Amino acid sequence: MIQPRDTLRLGDALLLGAILTTALFAWLAPTEPSAADLAEACAVTIDVRLAGEAEWRALPGIGPTHARALAKASEAGLLNTAQDILRVDGIGPKTLAKLQPFLEPVR
């Protein structure tokens, strides 16, 4: 027959097992690659002056709405440097920092 004291030990063992399992999965989980890692791995860079919607859409963190807006700004000649993408609604400094490794330096 299971005594209350045995149940407590069994509960402790189950809790310890759950903690160890969680820690193991956290340790084994792949980490999110940085934008620089992705750019290097893919060797993809775009020219902000010439990029179309498809090129913008291929970049991390750029969905169809922002890709369309960036492509229109590019077509209108509003994007001459990487900093100019900040003119597009919804694109802020964090997004620019994430995209920087994918943007060709303007010559």
Side-chain angles (χ1 to χ4, degrees):
M1 181 168 188
I2 298 178
Q3 300 295 324
R5 185 175 201 173
D6 295 334
T7 305
L8 181 62
R9 288 184 183 158
L10 177 61
D12 290 345
L14 290 174
L15 178 62
L16 179 61
I19 291 170
L20 291 175
T21 302
T22 303
L24 177 64
F25 281 118
W27 180 69
L28 292 175
T31 57
E32 188 72 25
S34 71
D37 292 339
L38 289 173
E40 186 177 317
C42 299
V44 173
T45 58
I46 64 169
D47 185 337
V48 297
R49 298 169 296 177
L50 305 173
E53 189 174 338
E55 288 89 0
W56 286 112
R57 182 69 180 98
L59 300 181
I62 299 297
T65 303
H66 284 131
R68 198 170 310 115
L70 286 161
K72 284 182 181 180
S74 182
E75 289 171 10
L78 299 175
L79 304 181
N80 295 309
T81 67
Q83 289 291 325
D84 290 341
I85 70 170
L86 294 172
R87 295 178 180 175
V88 176
D89 284 340
I91 304 292
K94 288 182 182 179
T95 303
L96 174 60
K98 189 189 303 185
L99 295 178
Q100 198 72 48
F102 298 97
L103 304 177
E104 288 181 8
V106 177
R107 295 179 186 117

